[in-house]
Amino acid sequence: MARRPRRVKNEINVVPYVDVMLVLLVIFMVAAPGMPSGLVELPSAGKSSQQVTGNPMTVEINKDGALLLKDGKDSTPYADAKALAVAIKEKVDAAAGTERPVVIAADKNVRYEIVMQTTDALRIAEIPRVGLQVYQK
């Protein structure tokens, strides 16, 4: 009696795939509670415990991103944050022995990146006291 040749199956055996998916599901279910949540703690805009003393220099950033340094009655526009930081550093060094604070007052429609670039430029220029101006509601 001659054996008939086996037919080729055109079906995919999905049992191993289901086993792998169940193992991955269990791993994620066990690991998910230990993962940190996506919460970000932002600073509040209430009253600060530290008050600005002396005559601070103010860096104004308007809604177009233009930088303006106000020092008393003087107002000087600057093209970029690096040039502004150098000018502030020169003014701080000219008044040796004092740590004049610098306050950044940015329009609420300014991109956050511009404010951070300005803050970073002041930090690189080693300006010791930098703060953000906010308006209380």
Side-chain angles (χ1 to χ4, degrees):
M1 202 156 122
R3 291 175 61 177
R4 143 163 54 140
R6 288 190 165 176
R7 272 193 195 179
V8 177
K9 287 186 178 180
N10 290 333
E11 299 173 6
I12 297 175
N13 187 5
V14 294
V15 174
Y17 299 115
V18 171
D19 290 343
V20 169
M21 292 303 295
L22 288 174
V23 168
L24 288 173
L25 179 65
V26 168
I27 289 172
F28 283 116
M29 287 174 61
V30 170
M35 290 184 174
S37 62
L39 297 177
V40 176
E41 294 182 26
L42 297 174
S44 64
K47 288 191 174 184
S48 173
S49 61
Q50 297 178 348
Q51 297 297 324
V52 177
T53 57
N55 186 19
M57 288 183 272
T58 304
V59 176
E60 287 188 1
I61 306 174
N62 67 14
K63 61 184 176 183
D64 300 324
L67 301 169
L68 181 70
L69 175 62
K70 288 189 173 183
D71 185 14
K73 295 180 181 179
D74 299 332
S75 295
T76 311
Y78 286 92
D80 63 346
K82 291 180 183 178
L84 173 77
V86 169
I88 291 175
K89 182 67 175 171
E90 289 173 359
K91 288 187 178 200
V92 169
D93 288 344
T98 62
E99 288 187 358
R100 279 187 76 189
V102 176
V103 177
I104 298 174
D107 188 272
K108 69 178 181 179
N109 297 321
V110 171
R111 287 187 14 222
Y112 189 64
E113 178 184 12
I114 296 171
V115 176
M116 289 311 302
Q117 287 173 350
T118 305
T119 305
D120 193 41
L122 293 172
R123 183 189 54 80
I124 290 171
E126 298 176 355
I127 306 300
R129 296 179 61 195
V130 178
L132 296 174
Q133 181 176 357
V134 295
Y135 295 105
Q136 296 177 0
K137 292 184 178 181

